[in-house]
Amino acid sequence: MGLSKTIWTNPTEYLRNQQPDNPVLFFAPSVAQAAARRFIDGFPGMVTYAVKSNPGEAMIENLAAAGIRGYDCASPFEIDLIRRLAPDAAIHYNNPVRARHEIAYAVERGVKSYSVDSKSELAKLIEMVPADGTEISVRFKLPVAGAAYNFGAKFGATSELAVELLRDVAAAGFIPSLTFHPGTQCTDPAAWEFYIREAAVIAQKAGVTIARLNVGGGFPNHRLNAVVPQIETTFQLIDRVATEAFGADRPLLVCEPGRALCGDAFSLAARVKAVRDETHVFLNDGVYGTLTELPMIGVIDRMEVLTADGVKRTGPVQPRIVFGPTCDSVDRLPGELPLPADIAEGDYVIWHGMGSYSTVTNTRFNGFGDLQMATVLGLKL
Ligand SMILES: *Cc1c(COP(=O)(O)O)cnc(C)c1O
């Protein structure tokens, strides 16, 4: 102890020095800022950040420093967080179902952009939000595959309803816009094409020229060694299709990525608690901790294993059943993971691409989940 160092070169240096027994998430601000610049340089419109994916203060401060000027918030808590950390940024309140006290709060905090997907929720907004200079984006959904997880199951109006809502928004004097979310970790750019073309049809049927089209989040981060996200291809497609579909009425474009901005900026180190009778591997983190998403949207195979001394294990791998630390039998990672055959108690399993939906979904179930954070210059071991 007695170390004053607060920024480490990489995870290996930290693990070697600290020998942590709790799970550690390593944050590389340089990677977060590079992701932000990649979007700002490549996306043909305004880039906003979906706060829910990782609301850590360091995350938001680094995105703001890199030039992110808009934030997709879902709750008064997130609105407060952004007002405090990025006071001049635009807030888009894009949770389409809100209690009246939440709407009142947003109005009081000067929020000027809301999404909606139902008549009843639009009626609340019309009643409570001053129309003047305020945007309402109608969120619609299509039966489109391509994402790891279907967001349309909860939110989004059908195209027919979206036409009516868009007309009602314009008639009530709000700035009319459209929005969609193709589903998270969407590796198929064609999903955006379907949605953008349908948005043009909805606007045309409603007889409304929309101010903006928000093409959602859903941009993938790097989870599988074999699938490296090519988001520039998606940006180019979005740009081309927006012009083809809308022509002279092309709206301004907005995107609201979550995982694509924060995902690759974090790596996790989980420690091996036991290799039970030389078969099952027990870790100090699992599906009630930062690995919550793995059973839902699939494994991350960007993994490496270090010995307790920080030496990479490079020998042959063997598929293993891997359990988290709680006593719940659900606390098991999906399938079998290819881990070094000589993995041993005290080793660290490192997962890359762990920044999204991990810090926020970590629980203290069974007394575990005492997550540590460390800042590093880079994430390469
Ligand atoms: C969660 C969410 C996002 C971010 O989704 P990612 O798949 O993480 O990019 C964007 N917009 C809305 C409305 C969301 O609910």
Side-chain angles (χ1 to χ4, degrees), residues 50 52-53 72 94 139 151 181 183-185 216-219 256-260 357:
K52 77 168 187 287
S53 56
D72 161 31
N94 283 350
R139 177 154 166 191
F151 270 38
H181 192 303
T184 204
Q185 189 68 15
F219 302 89
E256 51 184 17
R259 73 170 67 248
Y357 310 102

